């Protein structure tokens, strides 16, 4: 999605293209939700993960089911 905000007709067109036709009363809500998601992802893209190892390097330790045990 570009920096230009998605319009309700565009949201309907993209949803239909994905096989998810929307009722007319949902176009504006879907466009607003898409804009919100884009805003959040834009913030995440600005984070510096330089010292973070890639996901395959993570090894979860076996945890006890009850911390009191």
């Amino acid at each position: 999605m570009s920096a230009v905000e998605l319009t309700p007709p565009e949201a309907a067109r993209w949803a239909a293209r994905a096989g998810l036709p929307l009722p007319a009363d949902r176009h504006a809500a879907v466009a607003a939700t898409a804009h919100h998601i884009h805003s959040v992802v834009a913030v995440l893209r600005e984070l510096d993960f330089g010292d973070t190892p890639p996901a395959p390097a993570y090894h979860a330790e076996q945890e006890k089911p009850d911390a009191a045990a």
Side-chain angles (χ1 to χ4, degrees), residues 1-2 4-23 26-27 30-31 34-35:
M1 189 162 58
S2 69
V4 178
E5 191 169 336
L6 187 68
T7 65
E10 289 171 326
R13 183 174 58 87
W14 280 100
R17 187 174 178 173
L20 303 167
L22 295 173
R26 300 294 297 152
H27 296 180
V30 170
H35 177 68

Side-chain angles (χ1 to χ4, degrees), residues 18-60:
L20 303 167
L22 295 173
D25 64 335
R26 300 294 297 152
H27 296 180
V30 170
T33 301
H35 177 68
H36 175 73
I37 292 169
H38 185 264
S39 299
V40 170
V41 170
V43 171
L44 293 174
R45 286 184 176 151
E46 294 176 9
L47 296 176
D48 180 17
F49 291 108
D51 294 335
T52 305
Y58 178 75
H59 299 287

